[in-house]
Amino acid sequence: MRPVAPADLASFLAIARHKSFRRAADELGCTPSALSHALRGIEERLDLRLVNRTTRSVALTEAGERLFARVSPAFRDIDDALDDLNNFRGQPMGALRFNASRGAAELVLLPVVTRFMAAQPGVRVEIMVDGALVDMVAEGCDAGVRFGETIAQDMVAVPIGPRQRTAIVAAPSFFARHPKPVTPEQLKDLPCIRFRFASGRFYHWEFERGGVELNIEVDGPLTLGDQGLMIQAALDGVGVAFAFEDQVADLIAAGKLVRVLEDWCPYYGGFYLYYPSRRRAPAPLRAFIDFIREGG
């Protein structure tokens, strides 16, 4: 058996993590065809098929699974050894890749990241916006930002940003045609802009007042999967929308949106930065965590 170069193994690991030649190529900064050629070279040298490829899917063979399981820890050790060199620098250097929902990215992550980058010019940052709860490690991300209740228990979670509160809004032109609701149940009689998660599940609007909690399944002619689009649809007079308070505060102040049911809108615990507990955080991530803990 001819030897396999470490660079080729790194290509195989990227393919195995992402189950996608395109995403693996994006991570490594090359083309999918170059990755395919590298994988073919590894398989020829090992005289084994490591990956089953079709036009729609990429899956590891049994041999590929075993190689991935054995080689991944060694490459993590190499990454940790290189990361240790940051201790000899005055400032951390390297790349940080985050996964976050659009709301989390807009409201808390991006503002903190821009301040962090000004303080740590040696760190490059990428934010991957995704409404679905993805396997962060498989996607090649260092950390994610989500609400606390959605984070798996085997993750380390650090609060980031202030508490959040929802706002129920619609355009003045909408309320010129429809009555303003004074209780959450009255939303059932109004056209609302529904939100569907990437999983396919509809969001039930959450309300609380005086210890009474309500989950309302709204209905309406328009369903969206992005809060920014929901706000735009509300501005266009399509229906009632829910949003985070900070997303619409300026629009409410300008009279472009009208807020209702404010006394029923609860505060949430806020967003959390989370990362795997089973391995040490890289130096750029440790610096970012210190930054947010210090109020950055």
Side-chain angles (χ1 to χ4, degrees), residues 69-83:
R70 292 292 301 275
V71 172
S72 293
F75 271 74
R76 283 198 295 269
D77 287 344
I78 293 172
D79 288 341
D80 288 344
L82 294 173
D83 185 62

Side-chain angles (χ1 to χ4, degrees), residues 282-294:
L285 180 56
R286 295 199 301 273
F288 187 78
I289 293 168
D290 290 341
F291 185 77
I292 61 177
R293 282 176 169 163
E294 292 166 3

Side-chain angles (χ1 to χ4, degrees), residues 45-57:
R45 286 194 289 276
L46 296 177
D47 195 24
L48 286 169
R49 178 175 291 278
L50 301 175
V51 175
N52 287 322
R53 288 161 279 184
T54 69
T55 56
R56 291 189 173 186
S57 66

Side-chain angles (χ1 to χ4, degrees), residues 6-241:
D8 289 337
L9 284 176
S11 298
F12 163 73
L13 289 174
I15 296 166
R17 281 196 304 272
H18 292 289
K19 303 294 192 298
S20 164
F21 280 83
R22 179 186 58 79
R23 291 200 298 268
D26 288 343
E27 177 189 327
L28 297 176
C30 63
T31 64
S33 60
L35 270 187
S36 180
H37 179 75
L39 177 64
R40 189 160 53 249
I42 298 173
E43 291 178 329
E44 288 176 355
R45 286 194 289 276
L46 296 177
D47 195 24
L48 286 169
R49 178 175 291 278
L50 301 175
V51 175
N52 287 322
R53 288 161 279 184
T54 69
T55 56
R56 291 189 173 186
S57 66
V58 174
L60 296 181
T61 64
E62 185 178 355
E65 292 280 6
R66 174 137 350 149
L67 181 63
F68 180 65
R70 292 292 301 275
V71 172
S72 293
F75 271 74
R76 283 198 295 269
D77 287 344
I78 293 172
D79 288 341
D80 288 344
L82 294 173
D83 185 62
D84 277 341
L85 297 179
N86 276 298
N87 295 324
F88 294 94
R89 301 188 182 98
Q91 293 183 321
M93 296 184 66
L96 266 178
R97 193 164 189 248
F98 295 105
N99 176 280
S101 64
R102 182 170 299 278
E106 291 177 351
L107 292 172
V108 297
L109 182 56
L110 184 58
V112 176
V113 161
T114 54
R115 295 193 296 271
F116 173 74
M117 292 177 69
Q120 301 288 356
V123 179
R124 302 185 314 276
V125 178
E126 178 181 353
I127 299 176
M128 186 177 79
V129 176
D130 196 332
L133 287 171
V134 301
D135 184 334
M136 188 176 62
V137 176
E139 292 293 330
C141 294
D142 298 291
V145 179
R146 290 288 191 280
F147 275 121
E149 61 265 24
T150 65
I151 299 173
Q153 292 185 350
D154 63 344
M155 294 285 175
V156 178
V158 180
I160 179 172
R163 292 196 304 163
Q164 299 295 325
R165 191 186 187 197
T166 54
I168 308 302
V169 295
S173 61
F174 177 87
F175 284 128
R177 307 188 309 271
H178 300 276
K180 293 181 181 179
V182 294
T183 66
E185 290 90 343
Q186 291 174 347
L187 289 169
K188 296 179 180 179
D189 300 321
L190 293 173
C192 295
I193 302 165
R194 298 196 296 174
F195 180 85
R196 189 195 293 272
F197 292 104
S199 65
R201 182 174 64 87
F202 283 106
Y203 172 66
H204 291 184
W205 295 13
E206 300 172 74
F207 299 94
E208 188 273 330
R209 189 178 71 174
V212 177
E213 297 182 3
L214 297 174
N215 288 335
I216 303 298
E217 185 176 2
V218 301
D219 197 8
L222 181 62
T223 298
L224 297 168
D226 180 276
Q227 279 193 302
L229 293 177
M230 293 179 69
I231 294 168
Q232 184 58 56
L235 288 167
D236 292 340
V238 173
V240 184

